[in-house]
Amino acid sequence: MSRRKGMLRFVSLAATGLLASVGLFATTAVAQATEEWNPDSSYTTTDKGDGTYTVPLLNADVPDVSVERVPASENDEGRDLYYMISTTMQLSPGAPIMKSYDLVNWEIVNYAFDRLDIGDAFSLRNGSNSYGQGQWASSLRYHDGTFYVLINSLNLGGAYIYRTDDIEDGAWTRTALGRSLHDPSLFFDDANGGVPYIIYGGVSAVRLNSTLTAIEQDFPNFIQRSDFASQPYVGSSGLFEGAQAFYIDGYYYVVMITWPSSGRQVAMFRSTELLGRLANSPAPYESRGALNSNGFAQGSLVPIANDEGEDDWYGFFFRDNFPIGRTPALIPATWSDGWPTFGNNGVVPVNGAFEKPISLTPEQERFERLKSIVGSDDFDNDAPHRSYQDEQWTIPTPPDLDESLIGVELLDNPGLESGGTGGWSVNDTATLSTSTDAHTGTSAVAVSGRVTTGSGPAQNVTGKVQHGVTYDVSAWVKYDNPASPATKQFYLTARYGGSSTTYTNLSPATNLTRGTWGKVSGSFTVPASQALSDVRIFIETPWTSTPSTAPDTHLMGFTVDDASLVGRPVTTEVAQAEEVAPNGSNLDLVWEWNHAPDNRYWSLTDRDGWLRMTTGKVVTGAYAHRSSGGELTWLEEARNTLSQRTFGPRESVETKLDISGMKDGDVAGLAAYNRDFSYVAVKRVAGVNTVGVVHRGQPFASSIDQAAIEGFLPGRSATLGAASEVHLKADLDFARTSGQLFTTFYFSLDGLTWTQLGDAVGPLRLDGGLTHFMGHRVGLFDYATQQAGGHVDFDRFLLSDTLTSQNQPLDESDLDAAIAHAGTLDQGDYPAEAWTSMRTALADAQAAKAAELGTQNQIDAPERALSYQLARLGVLEAATPSLDVDVTAGTRCVAGKALVTIQATNNEAVPVAIEFESAFGTKTFASVLPGKNAVHAFTTRQASIPAGAVSAEVSAAPDGEPVTVEADAAYAAHACN
């Protein structure tokens, strides 16, 4: 029989006949230590630890939320689970999957994809980028055992459906739908057989086939804004998007964000038919303004099981809280006549408190409060490898180029110095001849008798031009006809023949002056889709359909000399297998890269306990934002920038760099960034390392001097001498001025003595042009301005919510309490893996405690890590076995002698075996039936006895597993008269 420590209910029968409970758990010292260990809630939760939370719910950027419940009956954990997805745009990995048990506390458990695409735009290659684009509002749904994520990309092929049967670590399968669907929401019409639809835009729908692999039918504008424009909560302009559909009590509800003149708000629509006016039995939607309070809007409705076995539906909406970002809120609702009123009679105060709707055990509550979507990191490469990292991509075959045709002149007789017109031909109809009126040399080619505007000197370059090569093309042109206009436009044009003839201008229209030589020039790259079986380049004048009506204007003769066609050396980056393949390094899930990373140039394995960033290329300054948004800075061009969300109201970040591997022109550091940014960095110039502060504020110019923008601010830099390591610290203050971020930077050579690099810099705020439409982030970066191949190593990333400017003494009390609590635990009570994780965190905490400490970050980071593991143990602790048996001990007198009495009552549903042991003997009961008693009196043969105890060992198998429980029942001293 297995023997496990357990619990019985014991009472002691004193001489007075009163019963006193005897506990069998921890000693008083342990209980006091447990009370002392009461860790703070995580940086990104507003759980107050007293059964309430405040809104917004998370102190970080979590926009465009879609929340889905997996009922207890359909998961292995036996309680309702909630998952949430959010927008991450250009970041990689993307489409984070967050998990919660109480809808208040969340942590990231997975991502839907590692990279959305391997093309240039998502990989910051060849001048392309995905800032403000990439993955936008997405939808998360669970149906018939499968999880679905619906993603729409603004610039990478439209909408995709990802699916898996294991949302926390399963492999995802992706299906492209072949078109864009703005703000899409997946909906299974379970009232009609589970038919899948996508609700999108404002407001349309498509029906999918049964396998969710293709669109079967469109239902445009099944809710028309024009039908509701007169309502103050809709209006005729402003946002009308973000629609999500739900089926509740016989109605289809569509909840969405609107932004009329009365403010950003939630509008709701309902109908008995999903397709409303477009249904087979038309049932137009009716509407209500659901919430207009402090900007809480777009998001989900979420069901929460109540005590009656029904669902209460809450709102899960976000609000703009820049520069932190768009932050969500769980908002209770009161339903009446099928319509909700959210918050407190329609009011949702910012930082207002609400009761948590889901109750957990105290141990679960504590663990949930410590979960976060940001985190410190020691870069030990101890995160698990995730299935999303193993995406399979087909690497495009790079162009097979003839290098002998690159960098050399491709035209024959370009300067007409051969004595004839060899190599030249006529496009369309004209006559060629040599001319002594040359730009240089002694000869040129003259064209006369032109019939069309395209009639002109030409060269056949078939077999010379190649796909993927950029060419510089030019020619010197002169016309002399005194009857022709004083100025005339000329073009260089390519004629592509083959199965179909196309024409492409290779130069812009160039105005030349009569009687004067002028240069017509341009550059072009032949796209891979262009046939090259017949290629001709020629010089022409602008097209007109009837040139013969004014021949002196359109068909004048002209002369050409010193033409040229030269292919540039190919510098185009192409995707590489090693760039996208896993590299053996596994980051914690709180991290995302600025764009899809190049896995050749970062590592957690090159140096144990360090993150190495290597510069893979030199920044160019040749990148620009979409829609004429202006040039990118060098920081924005740095592809392998590793970042996390920021959190408010205050955040401190500390890191340590080994800069010995940097090369001249390298810049590496710690940034608070969006399109505007502030950072502290080390720059190496002519072998000298300097640390300093950079700040780029608004407004943004379309054309910029990257070097000037990222120059150190005056008076905020210091040379580092021979130091090979430097500690950097950034203190982010979101509370100083509403809607603005100010950051103070520090550096240290030992982590103990710190130098402040000037006053706080700022403000940083939302980019009004939405070129970076997300909250500000903190990131580690390294880029090269002169040569590739340098590297920098980051040793740690330490978070705190205490800023140096708050002038608070270092506080180790939470660290001490966590270490003390860890010392009270018994390894045998916990799963081995969880115990090992706790011991690793404990060792780090003890090492920090033993070391000299220089910042609160160095205290808070190990304490938070240890407290998380301790709280995890609290919910994983092996359930203490118990048997429902009441035992009482007492004394009485018989014939002047004391007896010790013991009685056990079996309250279990199965028989129990009982053995009593005292100083006066033992007694065994092999089987005490349910509801029966075991009673015995021990004879002492003494007139008086001191206080003592009777030990009881009770054994049973209430759940089929043998359990043995031991404990003592005390009795008082007794004397017989």
Side-chain angles (χ1 to χ4, degrees), residues 207-278:
R207 188 180 68 235
L208 303 176
N209 63 4
S210 60
T211 57
L212 283 78
T213 55
I215 294 172
E216 285 190 337
Q217 186 173 352
D218 281 87
F219 301 93
N221 299 313
F222 72 91
I223 298 177
Q224 297 186 116
R225 180 176 195 152
S226 58
D227 292 341
F228 304 94
S230 62
Q231 299 295 337
Y233 51 85
V234 175
S236 58
S237 62
L239 290 181
F240 191 71
E241 61 184 26
Q244 296 191 33
F246 306 89
Y247 186 72
I248 304 172
D249 295 336
Y251 281 99
Y252 296 90
Y253 289 86
V254 174
V255 56
M256 60 191 304
I257 179 175
T258 64
W259 205 330
S261 59
S262 54
R264 168 191 168 112
Q265 54 197 279
V266 177
M268 287 184 66
F269 304 81
R270 76 175 185 184
S271 172
T272 55
E273 295 286 344
L274 174 63
L275 298 176
R277 67 185 188 88
L278 300 183

Side-chain angles (χ1 to χ4, degrees), residues 811-879:
D811 184 356
E812 302 177 35
S813 59
D814 287 345
L815 180 64
D816 293 339
I819 292 173
H821 180 72
T824 69
L825 305 182
D826 186 338
Q827 179 177 355
D829 292 336
Y830 306 100
E833 177 275 329
W835 181 262
T836 298
S837 296
M838 187 279 290
R839 294 294 297 179
T840 300
L842 176 60
D844 292 340
Q846 290 171 328
K849 180 65 179 175
E852 188 175 1
L853 298 167
T855 66
Q856 193 65 41
N857 306 61
Q858 297 167 22
I859 300 168
D860 290 350
E863 180 274 317
R864 297 262 175 165
L866 176 57
S867 288
Y868 179 91
Q869 294 299 336
L870 292 172
R872 180 181 177 223
L873 289 182
V875 299
L876 294 176
E877 183 175 6

Side-chain angles (χ1 to χ4, degrees), residues 70-324:
V70 181
S73 60
E74 298 185 47
N75 68 68
D76 295 334
E77 298 192 43
R79 52 177 167 162
D80 287 355
L81 308 177
Y82 292 90
Y83 294 97
M84 176 169 64
I85 194 169
S86 180
T87 294
T88 48
M89 297 188 182
Q90 79 273 3
L91 302 178
S92 175
I97 307 297
M98 291 160 273
K99 181 181 181 181
S100 178
Y101 295 97
D102 59 9
L103 285 168
V104 172
N105 298 285
W106 296 85
E107 67 176 344
I108 303 169
V109 296
N110 204 3
Y111 287 90
F113 60 81
D114 183 47
R115 52 194 76 211
L116 191 55
D117 190 73
I118 62 170
D120 289 350
F122 207 64
S123 304
L124 266 177
R125 283 196 226 100
N126 302 314
S128 296
N129 70 87
S130 286
Y131 283 113
Q133 300 180 92
Q135 173 251 344
W136 273 44
S138 301
S139 178
L140 171 62
R141 293 293 178 257
Y142 174 77
H143 193 257
D144 288 345
T146 299
F147 293 91
Y148 298 89
V149 167
L150 171 61
I151 287 171
N152 190 59
S153 66
L154 267 64
N155 63 325
L156 299 170
Y160 300 90
I161 290 179
Y162 291 75
R163 71 192 76 198
T164 184
D165 58 4
D166 179 1
I167 194 171
E168 297 191 30
D169 194 27
W172 295 91
T173 300
R174 184 170 91 159
T175 301
L177 296 180
R179 58 187 271 196
S180 180
L181 301 165
H182 180 64
D183 281 2
S185 177
L186 185 61
F187 178 74
F188 292 92
D189 188 4
D190 287 326
N192 290 286
V195 177
Y197 291 85
I198 295 174
I199 314 301
Y200 70 98
V203 181
S204 298
V206 295
R207 188 180 68 235
L208 303 176
N209 63 4
S210 60
T211 57
L212 283 78
T213 55
I215 294 172
E216 285 190 337
Q217 186 173 352
D218 281 87
F219 301 93
N221 299 313
F222 72 91
I223 298 177
Q224 297 186 116
R225 180 176 195 152
S226 58
D227 292 341
F228 304 94
S230 62
Q231 299 295 337
Y233 51 85
V234 175
S236 58
S237 62
L239 290 181
F240 191 71
E241 61 184 26
Q244 296 191 33
F246 306 89
Y247 186 72
I248 304 172
D249 295 336
Y251 281 99
Y252 296 90
Y253 289 86
V254 174
V255 56
M256 60 191 304
I257 179 175
T258 64
W259 205 330
S261 59
S262 54
R264 168 191 168 112
Q265 54 197 279
V266 177
M268 287 184 66
F269 304 81
R270 76 175 185 184
S271 172
T272 55
E273 295 286 344
L274 174 63
L275 298 176
R277 67 185 188 88
L278 300 183
N280 291 332
S281 299
Y285 275 80
E286 54 183 330
S287 68
R288 291 282 179 91
L291 178 63
N292 183 9
S293 181
N294 289 309
F296 289 98
Q298 185 175 344
S300 287
L301 299 180
V302 291
I304 301 173
N306 58 34
D307 293 339
E308 289 73 40
E310 304 293 333
D311 285 333
D312 295 326
W313 288 82
Y314 277 49
F316 208 103
F317 308 126
F318 68 84
R319 75 183 297 268
D320 289 352
N321 192 28
F322 291 101
I324 293 175

Side-chain angles (χ1 to χ4, degrees), residues 411-447:
L411 299 183
D412 294 332
N413 193 20
L416 279 298
E417 300 304 320
S418 66
T421 60
W424 291 90
S425 61
V426 174
N427 186 67
D428 289 350
T429 302
T431 300
L432 295 185
S433 61
T434 57
S435 170
T436 57
D437 182 10
H439 174 249
T440 62
T442 61
S443 184
V445 59
V447 57

Side-chain angles (χ1 to χ4, degrees), residues 323 646 672-673 678 695 731-734 737 739-743 761-765 776:
T646 54
Y673 76 97
S678 307
H695 173 70
D731 281 2
L732 286 68
D733 191 349
F734 296 95
T737 304
Q740 298 182 355
L741 166 61
F742 288 83
T743 307
V761 294
L764 304 180
R765 58 184 186 269
H776 281 67

